[in-house]
Amino acid sequence: MTVPQSRELAPDRNPQAAPMAHESMVRNLAAQAEAIWPLERPLFARYRLPERARILDLGCGTGELVTRLAHEFPLATLTGVDVHAPHLALARERCHELGTRVEFVSGDAFALAFPDASFDLVLCRHMLQAVPGPERVLAEMKRVTRPGGWLHVVAEDYGMIHCAPCAVDDDRFWREGPIAFGRATGTDLLCGRKAYHWLAALGLSEIRVDYALLDTLRVPRALLVEIFTAWREGYSEIIAAHTRLAPAEVRRSFDAIIAACADPAGYCVWMLPILGARVP
């Protein structure tokens, strides 16, 4: 499926453009996919996709999930859409061996360049918290999904990350740092707890909420350290620029959380909501 290439989103639709484009994001996407995929993979079986399913990954980044889904569904055709050109280039390189059944295009999540009912499954992972008006993105996802098809959403919520022992008050940090940064930039970093309501308001059916428990018992500590380290490197400056926290305090808080993840006697958990919903 070939679609027109769109221009990059206007700044008000992409307020997290700078950290998304930071080199640390590539490492972050890789670590997140490695940590989450074993927990997320079984969920795709419940969608009962046709053998030659059409799948769209909205906000596909570097193609980490497209690659995995292409091997999971070997006769499916997959399209990845993202706004960041360097990530799309990496995705094309990663999936080159998969041939024409996989393609990556630049696109606007608020106005997808696809006809109605184009796909059997539409995914959106780790993106809703980075854009204003996530409900509008979900509405576009519904529009391009065929009746009987499915939406699959990984909705981040920064009130669902905890660790102990920690050298800082990590609840305060998430509240006065990233969550406050979201409010200041018109985005919502508490999407996870709200996504069910948004899907229900769109009239979707068979809505389910599962949780990927990314904790120090189920996920290698090194992967959690990599995720939080990438967040520290990509987000410290922009969080400080939009909140009352100084850059040094932001970095110190991330450092404390990273240390808690690495501590063999410590426990850290990121509860990550994963939602599935059917288009009537």
Side-chain angles (χ1 to χ4, degrees), residues 11 16 18 34 60 92-93 118 130 194 211 232 239 248 278:
Q16 296 189 30
E34 187 175 349
C60 66
R92 293 186 185 106
E93 181 180 353
S118 293
K194 302 175 183 180
Y211 285 85
R232 180 194 65 195
I239 288 172
R278 193 174 188 185

Side-chain angles (χ1 to χ4, degrees), residues 14-15 36 74 87 108 212 224:
N14 195 16
I36 297 165
H87 285 177
D108 182 347
L224 295 176

Side-chain angles (χ1 to χ4, degrees), residues 24-40:
S24 63
M25 184 55 64
V26 174
R27 290 183 280 110
N28 186 23
L29 293 173
Q32 285 184 344
E34 187 175 349
I36 297 165
W37 178 246
L39 305 172
E40 186 178 10

Side-chain angles (χ1 to χ4, degrees), residues 6-274:
S6 70
R7 294 176 297 175
E8 292 211 350
L9 298 182
D12 61 334
R13 288 189 180 180
N14 195 16
Q16 296 189 30
M20 289 294 180
H22 192 273
E23 61 84 19
S24 63
M25 184 55 64
V26 174
R27 290 183 280 110
N28 186 23
L29 293 173
Q32 285 184 344
E34 187 175 349
I36 297 165
W37 178 246
L39 305 172
E40 186 178 10
R41 179 184 180 188
L43 303 180
F44 288 99
R46 71 187 181 199
Y47 300 138
R48 304 180 297 279
L49 296 178
E51 188 175 53
R52 298 184 180 275
R54 299 159 296 167
I55 300 173
L56 172 66
D57 185 1
L58 181 57
C60 66
T62 57
E64 291 281 356
L65 254 289
V66 170
T67 305
R68 288 168 168 81
L69 289 172
H71 289 98
E72 193 77 6
F73 301 102
L75 297 180
T77 57
L78 300 99
T79 302
V81 172
D82 204 276
V83 69
H84 188 51
H87 285 177
L88 289 171
L90 288 172
R92 293 186 185 106
E93 181 180 353
R94 179 194 303 277
C95 294
H96 176 73
E97 66 180 36
L98 296 170
T100 58
R101 72 184 184 96
V102 175
E103 68 172 347
F104 295 94
V105 297
S106 176
D108 182 347
F110 296 88
L112 292 170
F114 302 106
D116 294 356
S118 293
F119 298 96
D120 300 291
L121 172 66
V122 177
L123 300 88
C124 185
R125 305 171 70 262
H126 307 292
M127 194 191 85
L128 294 182
Q129 83 288 347
V131 297
E135 305 97 318
R136 295 163 56 197
V137 173
L138 293 173
E140 251 323 71
M141 292 172 64
K142 176 188 176 183
R143 180 186 67 78
V144 302
T145 305
R146 67 166 175 82
W150 293 85
L151 273 60
H152 178 93
V153 177
V154 176
E156 296 185 10
D157 190 313
Y158 288 74
M160 297 185 183
I161 303 174
H162 310 285
C163 62
C166 188
V168 300
D169 183 344
D170 58 319
D171 287 333
R172 172 182 172 270
F173 168 66
W174 295 115
R175 184 176 63 252
E176 298 184 10
I179 294 170
F181 157 69
R183 287 195 301 270
T185 56
T187 58
D188 191 343
L189 274 71
L190 300 174
C191 283
R193 68 194 66 186
K194 302 175 183 180
Y196 181 97
H197 171 71
W198 294 337
L199 293 170
L202 288 171
L204 300 180
S205 63
E206 300 181 46
I207 304 172
R208 291 187 57 177
V209 183
D210 293 277
Y211 285 85
L213 291 177
L214 306 179
D215 71 355
T216 46
L217 295 177
R218 295 167 178 84
V219 175
R221 290 181 183 271
L223 277 181
L224 295 176
V225 166
E226 180 64 26
I227 291 169
F228 289 118
T229 299
W231 284 356
R232 180 194 65 195
E233 295 176 5
Y235 276 90
S236 289
E237 295 298 326
I238 196 169
I239 288 172
H242 288 86
T243 69
R244 294 186 292 180
L245 302 183
E249 183 177 1
V250 176
R251 293 187 67 86
R252 184 168 62 251
S253 297
F254 273 124
D255 286 342
I257 292 165
I258 292 165
C261 288
D263 180 357
Y267 178 77
C268 297
V269 58
W270 180 16
M271 294 173 283
L272 188 60
I274 303 177

